[in-house]
Amino acid sequence: MKSEDNSSNRQTWRNIANQFGLGALVGLMLAWIPLAISMPDWAAWNITASVALVLLCGTLSALFGKRFLAALMSLLESFPPIA
């Protein structure tokens, strides 16, 4: 009989924090896209929406891990290059 060791499947706090940081970074890139197209006014709702987007991407990345990051990266790759 084999003893099942589920400790290798568990995520550590460090891995969760790394996933959150990567997701927040990708969310920040998504928030910068409107700045590359035009210079919007920095109203309170723009800042709130940008912070909410970064926190949402970070949280979902921490929860779902690499699957969510892969989906975010494919979304970023679908945008045409800005030059």
Side-chain angles (χ1 to χ4, degrees), residues 13-55:
W13 285 105
R14 183 177 178 153
N15 288 341
I16 292 172
N18 285 339
Q19 294 291 333
F20 179 85
L22 287 173
L25 185 64
V26 173
L28 188 61
M29 283 189 242
L30 285 174
W32 281 342
I33 289 174
L35 291 176
I37 297 171
S38 67
M39 191 62 161
D41 293 330
W42 283 106
W45 70 270
N46 285 11
I47 296 170
T48 304
S50 297
V51 169
L53 179 67
V54 169
L55 290 177

